[in-house]
Amino acid sequence: MPVIEVCNVHKRYGETVAVDDVSFTVEAGEIFGILGPNGAGKTTTVECIDGLRTPDRGTVRVLGLDPQRDRAELRQRVGVQLQDSQLPEKIKVAEALDLYSSFYRTPADWRALLADLRLTEKQDTTFRKLSGGQKQRLSIALALVGSPQIAILDELTTGLDPQARRDTWQLIEQIRDRGVTVLLVTHFMAEAERLCDRVALIDSGRVVALDTPAGLVSRTSSEQRVRFRPSAPLPDHLLTDLPEVSGVAHRGAQVLVTGTGNLLAAVTAVLARHQIVAADLRVEQASLDDAFVALTGRIDPS
Ligand code: ADP
């Protein structure tokens, strides 16, 4: 059952068309990504979903409700992490969570949330003194403190170091495992690839593709690359004779084989047959980054 339905939504600011006929649905229990370059219309789309903006045309339904008309009810059931969520500088972490949990009918145990987000030691620290990563984690805790059915997380890991980013991804997976539907806005390919069940790729206000991350990648290119250093000279024809192989190139001692299908298995079988050992063997596949460039004509700004 869809929990979010976006149907032919348009939104312009003066002359700027921010959202141009966007439609998609999000199913219960999935992590759905809205992916696109800066200025693509991601935030505006999400703001139409969380009721902060009214579409000029089109309809939005969240849990069957209208984000404008039923805003009070949806505030109870949808947790939103905003890009610029700022708290008073002097509020302490525990005070913020206690205050926010008082807004909800069925608040979560905020002490447990603090522990999950590794913020327990910071509960008496003021907002001002938190690091960027800690502020980010607090904003996630605040989005979850009302025990929402849907969590909307916008640019979740911007500004986090790689370890904190991976920790946050793990946390999002745990949230989904508890049955929360997650709508994730991101311009990080790695984040979408790792976390999302499906992704709507938005560019210049339009959905240019909607698929699983793997589906988007395979749509772009099915080519794979295998690199290695052979332990003995390897005549090219041994490789080019394979139906999986489309090309062979040499870079110094390194051989680079391109092709499709089960390329790795085909190449390693030939090497084994000729008792050649492949050192530094690497397989490279098209990534969501490649899909992004192919579908939007732009390089990922991250
Ligand atoms: P994203 O979240 O993908 O970066 P936005 O939805 O924030 O994209 O913005 C989409 C377009 O609308 C951009 O061209 C942006 O400059 C413009 N825009 C966003 N908010 C406003 C606003 N309040 N007033 C005028 N233009 C805006």
Side-chain angles (χ1 to χ4, degrees):
M1 192 199 87
V3 290
I4 299 174
E5 296 172 87
V6 176
C7 228
N8 306 112
V9 165
H10 291 253
K11 180 75 189 174
R12 59 160 70 224
Y13 303 106
E15 291 299 297
T16 308
V17 178
V19 177
D20 186 8
D21 198 26
V22 162
S23 301
F24 59 84
T25 56
V26 179
E27 303 294 321
E30 70 178 339
I31 302 181
F32 186 93
I34 298 187
L35 181 74
N38 290 327
K42 305 182 297 293
T43 300
T44 306
T45 302
V46 165
E47 287 176 347
C48 290
I49 293 170
D50 67 28
L52 281 176
R53 302 222 181 255
T54 318
D56 300 330
R57 268 188 286 146
T59 54
V60 178
R61 288 288 172 275
V62 179
L63 299 167
L65 301 172
D66 178 334
Q68 291 296 316
R69 200 189 53 214
D70 306 310
R71 199 153 167 210
E73 177 60 23
L74 283 175
R75 212 175 277 162
Q76 290 290 327
R77 296 164 67 181
V78 180
V80 181
Q81 181 210 14
L82 294 174
Q83 226 164 344
D84 305 309
S85 72
Q86 283 290 323
L87 287 164
E89 297 239 303
K90 288 187 179 154
I91 198 165
K92 291 180 178 163
V93 168
E95 286 170 351
L97 278 154
D98 197 31
L99 175 68
Y100 271 65
S101 66
S102 72
F103 300 154
Y104 296 100
R105 286 193 300 252
T106 51
D109 172 357
W110 59 258
R111 288 180 182 80
L113 260 182
L114 274 192
D116 284 347
L117 286 151
R118 292 187 294 101
L119 282 171
T120 306
E121 278 175 23
K122 297 288 166 192
Q123 59 179 317
D124 294 322
T125 304
T126 55
F127 181 67
R128 180 168 46 126
K129 292 203 175 140
L130 297 177
S131 71
Q134 289 160 350
K135 282 182 180 166
Q136 194 87 335
R137 296 209 298 276
L138 177 59
S139 73
I140 298 169
L142 293 173
L144 298 175
V145 77
S147 312
Q149 285 167 266
I150 301 173
I152 300 181
L153 307 170
D154 196 343
E155 298 295 356
L156 177 73
T157 60
T158 303
L160 296 189
D161 63 51
Q163 182 58 46
R165 182 170 292 160
R166 272 192 291 274
D167 288 350
T168 309
W169 290 345
Q170 218 165 29
L171 178 79
I172 300 308
E173 284 167 342
Q174 285 164 13
I175 293 164
R176 190 263 305 273
D177 292 345
R178 287 181 212 154
V180 178
T181 305
V182 179
L183 181 65
L184 191 73
V185 181
T186 186
H187 68 273
F188 284 118
M189 301 301 120
E191 186 161 290
E193 207 158 7
R194 155 76 194 265
L195 279 182
C196 295
D197 297 302
R198 288 189 307 141
V199 171
L201 183 59
I202 298 194
D203 190 33
S204 305
R206 303 188 76 100
V207 176
V208 292
L210 202 164
D211 208 332
T212 60
L216 284 181
V217 171
S218 69
R219 209 189 284 197
T220 319
S221 163
S222 54
E223 192 169 85
Q224 302 172 38
R225 291 183 285 259
V226 175
R227 282 174 196 276
F228 57 93
R229 254 185 320 111
S231 60
L234 172 66
D236 278 2
H237 74 85
L238 291 182
L239 296 168
T240 51
D241 284 350
L242 297 169
E244 290 87 353
V245 171
S246 57
V248 177
H250 297 265
R251 294 226 181 96
Q254 208 179 48
V255 179
L256 173 63
V257 188
T258 47
T260 51
N262 207 343
L263 183 67
L264 178 64
V267 169
T268 49
V270 162
L271 295 178
R273 220 176 301 133
H274 292 84
Q275 281 149 18
I276 296 172
V277 177
D280 300 332
L281 180 70
R282 281 203 200 126
V283 183
E284 295 160 10
Q285 275 176 314
S287 67
L288 199 53
D289 263 319
D290 300 322
F292 182 88
V293 174
L295 291 162
T296 67
R298 271 189 216 122
I299 292 174
D300 169 21
S302 66

